[in-house]
C-alpha cells in the first residue's frame, strides 16, 4: 500500500471506535445498548475482523489522521474476544505503516474478565491505556453486569483491575450510574478510592422506553438523581481529592473556564467525530446510531477519510446544534453541556420544542453547582499570570486536564 503524505494544512479531528469482534460479548449486561438493538452481521459472516480488513483499516486510519499523535480505540462488544494474537498483528501493522516522526497510541475498552498476566504484559509493553467497566461495589455492579449464565462478574472485573495495576497499565474506571447506585454516591466513590482508582468516568444510564413512565426504563437514572449524584461526588472530591483523583466530568467542566474545547463529544457543540467501524468494515456515524438506515458505507469500498468527510457524516454532526431547543441556547451553562448526547434528547421543552435532553435538569443542577469553583480556578490562574494571552490560559487548561490522564480510549468513553 502506498502511503499518502500528510497535508499539514488539513485538520481532521476524529477518533474511530473500531469493533474487531463486533457486538460479541461474554457478558449479558442488562443495560447493554448493543444487545438485541444493533445491526447483526449477515449469516455466515466471520466472527472477527479478518486480517486483510484489519490491515486495510489500520492503513486507512493512519492516512485519515492529521494529528501528530494517531489514536486507535478498540471497542465492542468485548474486544478482548478477538484474542492476543489479533492485537499483536494489529501492533505490527501499525508499526509497518506509521509515518516517520509520528506517534501511535492505543486504547481498549473492556469488561476485564478475560484479562490475565499475558494480557497485562502485552498492554503494558504496547503502552495501551484501558477503560475498565466497574459499577462500584459488588452489590451495585452485579445487579446488572453478569455473565450470560447469570453468575456475577465483580470479582473477575476487580481481578482484571489488579492485573492492570500490577503491570502499570493506565486505567480509567467507567462506572454506569443507574437507578440502583445513583442514591449512593459516597459509597460508590469511596469504593473506587479504596481500590486505588485514580481516573474515573461516571456514565448515566438512559434507556428509552416509550411505554414506560417517564419514557425510560426503570433501571435508568432520573435527571434529578444524576445531578444529586454528581454534586455529592464533586463535594467530596473538592474536600480532599484534588490532584489525587481525576473525574472526567469535572475535567470537562473546567475546560470551559480556560476557553478550551471539550474533549468528550457529548459536550461538544457538534458531534460526529467518533464514528464506528464494524468487524466487516461497515461505517456508522456513532456507536449509539448503528442502524441499517444510518450505514454510510464500507471501508472496503470507500476510503475511511472519505466516509468521515462525507456530507452525510457532516450533516449528522451539525444536527446536534441545529436541533438545539431555544431554552438550551439561553441556558447559563450551555458552554458546559451543549445539549449533551443526541440519543438522550427526546423530551419537549417548556415551550413545546422537541429535542430537550432527558438529563437536562440534572446537568443544570450539577454544572451550576460546580461553576463557582471552576471560575475561581480560572481567575486564580489569571491573577498569577496577568500578562499571559488567552491562548496560554487554554494551554494551561489542556495541560491540567491531560496531565497523567490515561483517557486515550476515547474523547468520549463508551456509554451505556
Amino acid at each position: 500500500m502506498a502511503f499518502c503524505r500528510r497535508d499539514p494544512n488539513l485538520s481532521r479531528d476524529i477518533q474511530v471506535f473500531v469493533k474487531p469482534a463486533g457486538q460479541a460479548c461474554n457478558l449479558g449486561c442488562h443495560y447493554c445498548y448493543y444487545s438485541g438493538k444493533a445491526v447483526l452481521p449477515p449469516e455466515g459472516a466471520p466472527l472477527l475482523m479478518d486480517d486483510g480488513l484489519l490491515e486495510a483499516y489500520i492503513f486507512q486510519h493512519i492516512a485519515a489522521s492529521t494529528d501528530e499523535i494517531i489514536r486507535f480505540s478498540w471497542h465492542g462488544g468485548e474486544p478482548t474476544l478477538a484474542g492476543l494474537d489479533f492485537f499483536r498483528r494489529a501492533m505490527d501493522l501499525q508499526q509497518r505503516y506509521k509515518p516517520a516522526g509520528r506517534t501511535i497510541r492505543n486504547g481498549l475498552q473492556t469488561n476485564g474478565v478475560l484479562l490475565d498476566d499475558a494480557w497485562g504484559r502485552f498492554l503494558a509493553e504496547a503502552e495501551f491505556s484501558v477503560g475498565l467497566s466497574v459499577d462500584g461495589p459488588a452489590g451495585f455492579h452485579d445487579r446488572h453486569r453478569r455473565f450470560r449464565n447469570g453468575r456475577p462478574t465483580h470479582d473477575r472485573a476487580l481481578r482484571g483491575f489488579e492485573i492492570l495495576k500490577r503491570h502499570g497499565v493506565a486505567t480509567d474506571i467507567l462506572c454506569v450510574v443507574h437507578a440502583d447506585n445513583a442514591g449512593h454516591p459516597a459509597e460508590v466513590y469511596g469504593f473506587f478510592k479504596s481500590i486505588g482508582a485514580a481516573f474515573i468516568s461516571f456514565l448515566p444510564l438512559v434507556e428509552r422506553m416509550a411505554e414506560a413512565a417517564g419514557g425510560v426504563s426503570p433501571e435508568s437514572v432520573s435527571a434529578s438523581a444524576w445531578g444529586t449524584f454528581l454534586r455529592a461526588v464533586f463535594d467530596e472530591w473538592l474536600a480532599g481529592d484534588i490532584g489525587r483523583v481525576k473525574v472526567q466530568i469535572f475535567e470537562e467542566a473546567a475546560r470551559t473556564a480556560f476557553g478550551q474545547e471539550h474533549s468528550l463529544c457529548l459536550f461538544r457543540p457538534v458531534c460526529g467525530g467518533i464514528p464506528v467501524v464494524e468487524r466487516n468494515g461497515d461505517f456508522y456515524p456513532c456507536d449509539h446510531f448503528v442502524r441499517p438506515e444510518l450505514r454510510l458505507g464500507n471501508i472496503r469500498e470507500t476510503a475511511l477519510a472519505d466516509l468521515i468527510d462525507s456530507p452525510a457524516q457532516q450533516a449528522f454532526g451539525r444536527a446536534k446544534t441545529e436541533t438545539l431547543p431555544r431554552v438550551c441556547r439561553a441556558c447559563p451553562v450551555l458552554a458546559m453541556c451543549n445539549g449533551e448526547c443526541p440519543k438522550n434528547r427526546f423530551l419537549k421543552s417548556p415551550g413545546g420544542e422537541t429535542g430537550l435532553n432527558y438529563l437536562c435538569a440534572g446537568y443544570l443542577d450539577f454544572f451550576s453547582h460546580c461553576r463557582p469553583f471552576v471560575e475561581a480556578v480560572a481567575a486564580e490562574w489569571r491573577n498569577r499570570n496577568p500578562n499571559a494571552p488567552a491562548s496560554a490560559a487554554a494551554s494551561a487548561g489542556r495541560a491540567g486536564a491531560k496531565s497523567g490522564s490515561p483517557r486515550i480510549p476515547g474523547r468520549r468513553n463508551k456509554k451505556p
Side-chain angles (χ1 to χ4, degrees), residues 89-169:
R89 290 194 297 274
M91 298 304 101
D92 289 343
L93 289 166
Q94 287 179 357
Q95 292 306 307
R96 180 187 305 175
Y97 293 118
K98 182 177 77 70
R102 310 260 315 267
T103 301
I104 291 179
R105 293 283 182 262
N106 286 277
L108 178 79
Q109 172 59 40
T110 179
N111 57 43
V113 303
L114 293 180
L115 298 181
D116 56 17
D117 281 318
W119 271 106
R121 285 190 295 271
F122 166 78
L123 294 170
E125 290 168 1
E127 298 183 325
F128 267 68
S129 56
V130 172
L132 178 67
S133 295
V134 183
D135 288 357
F140 299 133
H141 176 99
D142 289 332
R143 196 77 54 89
H144 299 289
R145 301 190 62 81
R146 291 179 172 268
F147 288 105
R148 295 190 176 277
N149 63 7
R151 290 188 297 111
T153 64
H154 191 259
D155 287 348
R156 293 283 294 275
L158 287 193
R159 187 193 69 171
F161 181 62
E162 292 302 321
I163 288 170
L164 293 170
K165 283 205 304 181
R166 185 163 64 247
H167 289 277
V169 178

Side-chain angles (χ1 to χ4, degrees), residues 293-366:
E293 69 273 19
L294 292 177
R295 177 187 176 275
L296 301 186
N298 188 290
I299 66 168
R300 293 185 190 270
E301 303 158 357
T302 306
L304 178 62
D306 291 338
L307 290 167
I308 291 167
D309 295 340
S310 68
Q313 180 69 7
Q314 298 305 306
F316 174 87
R318 290 193 307 271
K320 179 177 180 178
T321 295
E322 293 169 353
T323 60
L324 197 64
R326 285 190 295 271
V327 67
C328 295
R329 297 175 192 272
C331 179
V333 297
L334 173 63
M336 291 180 166
C337 173
N338 286 304
E340 207 242 11
C341 185
K343 87 173 185 70
N344 295 331
R345 287 165 52 174
F346 52 83
L347 297 185
K348 286 190 175 182
S349 72
E353 289 183 281
T354 58
L356 183 67
N357 196 294
Y358 166 81
L359 296 169
C360 174
Y363 280 119
L364 178 60
D365 181 27
F366 168 66

